[in-house]
Amino acid sequence: MAKAKVNGVEVEFDPGMTVLQVAELAGEEIPRFCYHESLSIAGNCRMCLVEVKPGPPKPQASCALPAAEGQEIFTNTPMVKKAREGVMEFLLINHPLDCPICDQGGECDLQDQSVAYGKGSSRYDENKRAVEEKNLGPTIKTFMTRCIQCTRCVRFTTEVAGVTEMGMISRGENAEITSYLEQSVSSELSGNVNDLCPVGALTHRPWSFNYRPWELTKTETIDVHDALGAHIRIDNRGPAVLRALPRLKEEINEEWLTDKSRYAVDGLSRQRLDKPYVRKGGKLVAVSWDEALSTVAGKIKATDASKIGVIAGDLIDAEAMKATKDLFYGLGVTNLDCRQEGAKIGPVTQSTPRESWLFNTGIAGLEEADAILLIGTDLRAEASLINARIRKSWLKGKVQVAVIGQPTDLTYDYAHIGAGPKALKDLKKHAFRDVLKNAQKPAILVGSNAISGPDGAAVLKEIALIADDYDVVKDGWNGFNIVHTAASRVAGLDLGFVPVGEAKDAAAMLNGGVDLLVLLGADEIDTRNLDKSFVVYIGSHGDAGAAAADVILPGAAYTEKSGIYTNLEGRIQIAERCVFPKGEAKEDWAIIRALSGYVGHTLPYDNLSALREKLITDHPVFGRVDVRPASKAFDVKAIGSKGEISDRPFVSHITDFYLTNPIARASVAMAECSAARRPQMSAAAE
């Protein structure tokens, strides 16, 4: 450890740190615009000036200056104060005085720093320059006259998102940030540039002129649009959810968020189911809760237990699945499945422990891998932030990547071995075999598409043998990872919400295998063969499940209930209620509890606390909140089963990143994003 003094206070620091970082270790605040911890150093804005001894008798940019043993750093001298005032005055020469109409107002770094470090007046009275607005796509609204060329947006899109579509043109006063040929930014992480912009030059287009920050109630919660469990903050005004913003969680999402998780919030107020419905004369008619529940109970009582099935959807919380399992198991129903996509994983047995369906390296731990094999996963669409982690390692030269599946733009180079199961056997002949063999920490990422369908278990067995051959799972390192796409999936598997023995899986139930089918928020399904089945839908949105339903019981969206979710790492997370359910809608577990009374099998809990107590008692894994389970080795070759393997290509079940669930499909912002990306995706396919 090296030592330096900051304003006379000695502080220890690691070699390689900058003066700015050392000053912050000492508790000193250094103003900045261009510097960001997660981006490369640009040194553009010069706001972070400090005085350093030994060194030249002038202020120096602390973000780009390496700290050295014995340095004396001064952050509050008259020289530093005068220099910062001059920089701020310079930055404001062309900045318009439009704070009252700026969406950044109240959350603007420029506002804050001009008050804290500015001079309070300007010596420049020339005409301010005006810059033409840019079309950067449906997520980014531009006011480029405000731009101070900090280049945060350019560095993010290039370094993190991996799309080299933004840059600076011209020089001096004519310098402008723009996109390549004025095209829309094509990244699924584009909204992060709006968070990064310190001056309001880039703001959130879907939320433009909709709110003021001080009007909003803020709730810290968990995102459920994918299986990562990104930490987010939901901001609402009254009953309306207006925005979702990322929270810092280095182990999961760092400080980034996908556009879907961020902008799909307008879908929470559209196409909502806010009252019960029963189909009468071929049409859904609004009825009372009593009539709807009585209708469902009557059908359950009149139907043999072997002819009743339940499918849980992608956005369902653990409490709802627990209550549903308790009720239907109590009625003798074993046709339960939480795997809409049909992945051949679970339940827990001696040969298939929990590790067989987890992302065992951990999201952050994946950065330690030196060789990664992607099998049947379009990682950019299925887990964008994990894809960004791999890109980070790739940029540092720490990892080599290979893909078995459809070739696509992952934003980094990779070796393409093949498109389908045949390539699993071809791996032994491919040069990447030696990369895996020589790797200290190899990792395999398996997409749910690869292990779905009739041959899913056989494919899983082949993958397991590869993992065993190349020591992917060993003492001190478990590199076997399943890439889930649904927030509910791991919790459902942990609960055993899967068919056991001769019970029917989701595919069999959807193929007309049951007379009564309960869809617990299940919408990513094919409903064409359900004509002869009586369908009960419990959910929040009028989507595929509701369209096929004979009875609709309106549930709560993820922002309208407190619920436990388990991310793909196996980390237990609690989503908090931000607003109340719409209309007559109720929390999913409460609907199941009410139904249990109508069928004469009343569940032993009548509030959320009692349900959670029962959940943790029966499944202790749910008691360890926000703790990633320790990575344990297991007998990887025991998972899967031998069988015939088809020569189908591995194609991701996500055909449109922006429209993967009922909330997203109800969102205007997501529809615009999908439409903007479609021409680019078509061109790429050609």
Side-chain angles (χ1 to χ4, degrees), residues 430-443:
H430 197 277
F432 196 76
R433 170 200 61 189
D434 296 328
V435 176
L436 281 174
K437 187 181 291 184
N438 297 325
Q440 297 299 307
K441 293 184 175 180

Side-chain angles (χ1 to χ4, degrees), residues 100-105 107 194-195 203-216 218 233 235-237 240-245 263:
I101 62 163
C102 179
D103 272 334
Q104 199 93 334
E107 299 176 319
N194 302 322
D195 290 343
T203 58
H204 302 279
R205 185 181 290 277
W207 310 332
S208 182
F209 305 128
N210 276 356
Y211 60 84
R212 286 300 198 183
W214 52 83
E215 301 174 331
L216 306 178
K218 303 170 177 61
R233 191 187 83 201
D235 292 357
N236 67 287
R237 185 173 58 206
V241 174
L242 295 183
R243 65 179 186 177
L245 296 174
Y263 297 120

Side-chain angles (χ1 to χ4, degrees), residues 27 86 170 175 199 290 312 341 369 381 523 550 585 680:
S170 301
V199 297
D290 180 66
E341 84 286 19
D523 290 280
D550 296 288
Q680 298 175 35

Side-chain angles (χ1 to χ4, degrees), residues 539-555:
S540 60
H541 283 71
D543 206 271
D550 296 288
V551 177
I552 294 174
L553 305 176

Side-chain angles (χ1 to χ4, degrees), residues 82-99:
K82 184 179 179 182
R84 289 175 180 173
E85 288 178 351
V87 170
M88 180 61 69
E89 186 180 10
F90 181 75
L91 291 175
L92 291 174
I93 290 175
N94 285 306
H95 198 84
L97 301 177
D98 59 352
C99 296

